[in-house]
């Protein structure tokens, strides 16, 4: 199993005033290794529950029921939650501009602003992200966002699901 690496646009790191700086290569490599170890450990813990058929009947009923099935997180929603967690770890608030900078930094392409707005609204509606109104000294209003505990758990499960599906695809391709 591998964790997607950080990407750089055009093969070179780009810096501009006000942008979030890219982690050095050694730090980025250490982050990738830690993430892979964490994901491997989580999947190892979940493997017995995933591979047994003890709960198949209940799972089939839930999966087939239109009322019980909830759409999983989309790619953009997962990216916004990742940005929220990243900014939280930096003890900084999350705003629209941060999402644009961070998605550009980690994927090589900034998320479309329309997708940022839509993803934030969906995450708020789902109770995974919280909107905070901020008023500065000049009376200007802005919005920042924080992630809820349910958002953290949904993010972790989405990443684990993505890794599981990627590994399954690698077995099919082999």
């Amino acid at each position: 199993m591998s964790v997607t690496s950080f990407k750089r646009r055009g093969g070179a790191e780009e810096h501009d005033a006000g942008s979030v700086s890219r982690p050095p290569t050694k730090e980025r490599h250490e982050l990738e290794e830690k993430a892979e170890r964490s994901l491997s450990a989580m999947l190892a813990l979940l493997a017995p529950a995933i591979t047994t058929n003890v709960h198949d009947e209940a799972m089939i009923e839930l999966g087939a029921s239109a009322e019980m099935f909830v759409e999983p997180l989309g790619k953009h929603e997962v990216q916004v939650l990742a940005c929220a967690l990243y900014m939280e770890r930096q003890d900084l608030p999350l705003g629209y501009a941060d999402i644009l900078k961070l998605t550009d930094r980690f994927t090589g392409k900034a998320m479309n602003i329309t997708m940022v707005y839509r993803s934030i609204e969906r995450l708020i509606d789902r109770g995974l992200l919280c909107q905070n109104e901020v008023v500065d000294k000049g009376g200007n209003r802005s919005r920042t966002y924080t992630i809820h505990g349910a958002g953290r758990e949904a993010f972790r499960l989405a990443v684990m699901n993505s890794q599981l599906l990627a590994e399954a695809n690698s077995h099919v391709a082999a």
Side-chain angles (χ1 to χ4, degrees), residues 46-173:
L46 290 174
I50 293 170
T51 57
T52 65
N53 59 4
V54 173
H55 303 289
D56 280 355
E57 280 189 48
M59 296 304 247
I60 291 167
E61 192 172 321
L62 286 172
S65 170
E67 298 89 35
M68 296 301 291
F69 185 77
V70 176
E71 282 294 319
L73 294 176
K75 171 184 157 184
H76 295 103
E77 292 168 320
V78 172
Q79 287 178 333
V80 169
L81 289 175
C83 292
L85 284 168
Y86 180 86
M87 294 300 285
E88 181 180 82
R89 292 193 62 127
Q90 305 299 317
D91 289 326
L92 296 170
L94 175 71
Y96 293 109
D98 300 312
I99 295 168
L100 296 173
K101 289 174 190 172
L102 289 170
T103 55
D104 181 50
R105 174 182 171 192
F106 292 117
T107 68
K109 182 179 179 188
M111 187 186 295
N112 175 303
I113 191 71
T114 303
M115 289 310 302
V116 171
Y117 286 116
R118 287 182 182 167
S119 298
I120 287 173
E121 287 304 316
R122 281 195 300 264
L123 291 167
I124 291 170
D125 290 346
R126 293 176 115 177
L128 305 177
L129 204 62
C130 180
Q131 178 176 297
N132 309 298
E133 294 287 331
V134 178
V135 181
D136 66 13
K137 292 177 183 176
N140 298 320
R141 294 180 181 270
S142 64
R143 294 181 181 142
T144 61
Y145 303 92
T146 53
I147 190 168
H148 284 294
R152 279 185 195 79
E153 189 63 25
F155 174 76
R156 287 183 186 110
L157 291 171
V159 170
M160 288 185 342
N161 186 49
S162 176
Q163 291 299 308
L164 182 68
L165 293 173
E167 189 163 310
N169 283 341
S170 70
H171 293 299
V172 171

